[in-house]
Amino acid sequence: MCLCLFSSVSSHRKKMMYRILLLLMMTCCDCVKVTQSFYQAEENQDVTLEWTFTPQDDPSLHSLFIYCLMYTDFEVSRLFRLNRGVEVSESQDEQFAGRVHWDKDVLKEGRLRLHVSSLRTEDSGIYECKVMTEFGVDSTQTWLDVIASTLRHKSETGPETGPETEPENEPETGPETGPERFNTKSWGWMVLSFALSVSAVRYVLSRTRRCFAPVQWVRGFFKRI
């Protein structure tokens, strides 16, 4: 009885060790790669995202599990799920419902191709697919950038411009007339004329005094005699 108990415990330990080793082998697998690290497409167009992985020896795909997600700054969306070679469309988020298709034929060759149709600007983000095969588990990411169609149209055509119009000619300004001319130039000329007149009068008076000074002296001399 003790021998049977010992054998059962040892067999249980072997199974646990086998599972642990298998788990370590699966988590250390480096078998999934992306064919393109960056995708760019316009709104309302289609795009094909592709991953490659080590193909399986089993053509039935019963040991193949794939789980694809889309990450943004605000949420995580479920893009695609394959369970033992069968698509589970119920797990797909409403955002991608009816817009994601995959090629089953190339899946046996170790290629995962997801066709996303009718792209939206909110489809921009990081796309990650995790693949679990008989060789292990691995995942890798790629980036998709969806450009709005209006922004692309503006970048190609350039900024919108209106009809060409000739520049308006500025009205020619002639000599100042009316009150403006009187207020500026007339007052200046009047002040200058007045100053010149005062100076002329002073000069004449000074010259007149000098001329009459000898006459007044002679008259005074004769009055004294």
Side-chain angles (χ1 to χ4, degrees):
M1 183 175 179
C2 293
L3 182 61
C4 293
L5 182 61
F6 177 77
S7 61
S8 62
V9 171
S10 61
S11 62
H12 180 69
R13 286 182 178 179
K14 288 181 180 180
K15 289 182 180 179
M16 290 295 296
M17 291 177 63
Y18 174 77
R19 291 177 181 177
I20 293 173
L21 291 174
L22 181 61
L23 182 61
L24 291 174
M25 291 175 62
M26 292 175 65
T27 54
C28 295
C29 175
D30 185 16
C31 54
V32 180
K33 301 182 182 301
V34 289
T35 58
Q36 194 170 331
S37 60
F38 178 76
Y39 294 85
Q40 189 175 57
E42 188 179 351
E43 188 180 12
N44 298 321
Q45 290 185 347
D46 303 337
V47 69
T48 300
L49 309 177
E50 185 172 353
W51 289 262
T52 60
F53 57 93
T54 305
Q56 296 187 120
D57 298 331
D58 184 9
S60 63
L61 305 178
H62 289 320
S63 59
L64 180 61
F65 298 85
I66 299 176
Y67 194 41
C68 299
L69 300 172
M70 192 270 284
Y71 298 92
T72 64
D73 295 336
F74 307 101
E75 60 181 353
V76 179
S77 302
R78 294 182 297 272
L79 176 69
F80 177 76
R81 182 181 177 186
L82 196 71
N83 189 5
R84 296 185 180 275
V86 180
E87 181 184 4
V88 183
S89 57
E90 293 80 7
S91 63
Q92 192 176 65
D93 280 351
E94 186 178 357
Q95 176 182 350
F96 298 102
R99 298 196 297 123
V100 179
H101 306 279
W102 59 292
D103 294 337
K104 188 174 182 180
D105 297 333
V106 299
L107 197 64
K108 298 178 181 180
E109 304 172 0
R111 297 169 58 192
L112 172 63
R113 301 183 65 186
L114 298 180
H115 306 282
V116 185
S117 60
S118 302
L119 289 173
R120 309 166 185 172
T121 54
E122 56 266 24
D123 293 337
S124 298
I126 298 175
Y127 288 75
E128 180 185 32
C129 277
K130 181 177 291 186
V131 180
M132 184 175 67
T133 65
E134 58 187 7
F135 300 104
V137 178
D138 191 24
S139 64
T140 187
Q141 299 175 342
T142 185
W143 169 261
L144 173 62
D145 183 23
V146 182
I147 304 174
S149 57
T150 55
L151 295 178
R152 181 175 179 180
H153 178 70
K154 287 183 179 180
S155 62
E156 292 178 354
T157 58
E160 297 181 357
T161 56
E164 296 182 357
T165 57
E166 296 182 357
E168 297 181 358
N169 296 328
E170 296 182 358
E172 296 181 358
T173 57
E176 296 180 356
T177 57
E180 294 181 357
R181 183 180 179 184
F182 178 79
N183 292 335
T184 56
K185 293 184 178 181
S186 297
W187 277 105
W189 282 108
M190 289 176 63
V191 172
L192 182 60
S193 300
F194 179 76
L196 292 175
S197 300
V198 171
S199 299
V201 170
R202 288 182 177 179
Y203 178 77
V204 171
L205 291 176
S206 62
R207 296 293 297 177
T208 304
R209 290 177 181 177
R210 291 180 181 179
C211 293
F212 282 99
V215 177
Q216 292 178 356
W217 181 81
V218 172
R219 287 181 179 178
F221 177 75
F222 281 106
K223 286 182 180 180
R224 293 177 183 178
I225 296 173

